[in-house]
Amino acid sequence: MNRRNFLKTTSALGLATFASPLFAKDAFTIYGAPALPSVTIGTAALMGELGKEADVSLKIWRNPDQLRAGVASGEFKVMMSPSNVGVNLRNQGANVGLVNILTSGLNALVTKAPLARLEDLYGKKLVMPFKNDLPDIVLRALFKKLGLDISRVDITYTATPPETMASFLSMDFDAAILLEPLTSACLLKGKKIGVAVERAEVDMLALWGEAFGLKPFIPQAGIIADVDFYRANEAKFETFNNDLKNALEWMKKNPESAGEIGSNYLPAPAKAIAMSISKANLVVMKPSQIREELAKFYEIVLDLNPRLLGGKMPDKDFYLC
């Protein structure tokens, strides 16, 4: 499916819904993050079985504060979330639980000069999105575990990943931490405008596994849901989870077409999205499949800063399936 056909399909669906209110389906809206796993969600929404019985759609939030506000207001019922944010929301009283994890590590370090070790960031200017959220948590946890002094890195935070990329390319930053597909987009844009950009030799996911003695697996983000909405629609969630698995397999086999779909949702060109599919460690895993990995990740975050989880580990009922 190319972008033109995708737009024709969505337009036709919109017209059909407008013209035939008698046959309107129940809404199943997912609020996705501005990162590559939302392409898995968008593809599943477009192609999946759930669309036969529900009006499945994807909307993108800009930053974690908007996500928190949407949950607090009750507007957001199904949403992609950094995995620590879901716990934080629940520990602060929000009636949410974890449905799945959609990536096992999405952070990448890009630089304008070779960088082989984290300590090579000492004295350098680094820009990244989302202070006190992922990927800030991952970087600070690594520095702490490795006995490195993060105060020796000049860090600037932006409100959104696109702002991070724009600042890195246009200003005197030495390095940036980005989420796919903007990592790939940054490489393409740098080449186009004559700015030398490369992926750092530091593989943050591999380094995480080595530092903590774990698998190279960071349960970074996935879908959380309002618990009451989930319980009332468990069959739909099961169907959608299978749709996500099928969508991911299709994306791996058809990255260019997936890039066209993703470019309708994310601030990155289709080519960058296609490039990033093999780099983003995309998965579709229920909490019951990775309970140990989740627990160890949350323990690391709790040790780093308890406030990032709302002061405590998640209770067992946080895991919805």
Side-chain angles (χ1 to χ4, degrees):
M1 178 176 292
N2 60 31
R3 186 176 184 181
R4 179 178 299 172
N5 288 337
F6 170 72
L7 292 172
K8 285 181 179 178
T9 300
T10 53
S11 295
L13 287 172
L15 288 171
T17 300
F18 179 77
S20 306
L22 182 63
F23 302 103
K25 302 173 183 177
D26 291 338
F28 194 94
T29 304
I30 307 98
Y31 292 87
L36 195 67
S38 284
V39 181
T40 311
I41 297 172
T43 302
L46 178 66
M47 298 180 173
E49 291 295 310
L50 184 58
K52 296 177 181 178
E53 58 178 297
D55 182 13
V56 185
S57 61
L58 170 65
K59 298 180 180 179
I60 304 297
W61 49 259
R62 294 182 68 251
N63 56 60
D65 287 337
Q66 185 184 5
L67 167 65
R68 294 180 178 97
V71 173
S73 69
E75 178 185 359
F76 291 10
K77 299 296 185 185
V78 187
M79 43 271 163
M80 183 178 156
S81 167
S83 54
N84 71 294
V85 172
V87 178
N88 189 295
L89 286 166
R90 185 178 181 89
N91 283 338
Q92 293 187 44
N95 188 35
V96 298
L98 183 64
V99 176
N100 61 32
I101 289 294
L102 296 180
T103 174
S104 62
L106 202 57
N107 304 314
L109 185 62
V110 294
T111 64
K112 293 172 182 171
L115 190 148
R117 307 171 303 163
L118 275 187
E119 51 263 49
D120 291 341
L121 286 171
Y122 284 172
K124 300 292 196 304
K125 297 179 69 174
L126 171 70
V127 61
M128 73 169 80
F130 307 152
K131 184 176 182 179
N132 290 328
D133 276 303
L134 297 169
D136 192 25
I137 291 170
V138 171
L139 183 69
R140 290 183 179 276
L142 281 171
F143 265 76
K144 180 178 180 179
K145 184 65 176 179
L146 296 171
L148 302 176
D149 183 2
I150 201 164
S151 69
R152 295 176 62 183
V153 184
D154 183 359
I155 301 177
T156 296
Y157 297 96
T158 68
T160 67
E163 290 175 49
T164 297
M165 186 182 85
S167 296
F168 173 68
L169 291 173
S170 64
M171 301 171 70
D172 62 343
F173 289 105
D174 302 291
I177 294 180
L178 289 168
L179 312 176
E180 291 290 5
L182 287 185
T183 308
S184 295
C186 186
L187 296 172
L188 292 174
K189 183 70 171 179
K191 185 175 182 180
K192 183 177 180 179
I193 64 176
V195 176
V197 180
E198 60 185 79
R199 291 181 187 269
E201 293 179 45
V202 177
D203 182 328
M204 296 184 71
L205 187 58
L207 187 58
W208 180 274
E210 294 169 7
F212 291 100
L214 302 172
K215 300 175 185 176
F217 188 104
I218 300 174
Q220 186 161 345
I223 292 177
I224 61 173
D226 175 88
V227 174
D228 293 337
F229 184 82
Y230 176 85
R231 296 301 180 200
N233 296 277
E234 285 194 51
K236 287 187 176 70
F237 276 93
E238 188 63 29
T239 299
F240 190 61
N241 202 63
N242 289 329
D243 288 345
L244 289 167
K245 291 179 181 178
N246 292 333
L248 179 54
E249 290 305 309
W250 181 87
M251 287 164 58
K252 290 177 179 178
K253 295 175 183 177
N254 303 276
E256 289 79 16
S257 296
E260 294 288 346
I261 292 174
S263 66
N264 290 278
Y265 296 108
L266 301 180
K271 182 177 180 180
I273 295 172
M275 286 173 56
S276 69
I277 289 172
S278 63
K279 303 288 187 181
N281 303 298
L282 297 174
V283 298
V284 180
M285 305 185 81
K286 293 181 178 180
S288 58
Q289 297 176 273
I290 49 171
R291 192 66 61 88
E292 182 178 354
E293 288 84 353
L294 286 165
K296 289 181 177 177
F297 176 72
Y298 293 139
E299 287 169 1
I300 291 167
V301 176
L302 191 68
D303 179 67
L304 177 68
N305 185 346
R307 290 181 299 173
L308 298 172
L309 290 184
K312 60 183 179 180
M313 291 284 285
D315 63 274
K316 61 182 179 62
D317 293 332
F318 174 66
Y319 305 110
L320 294 178
C321 53

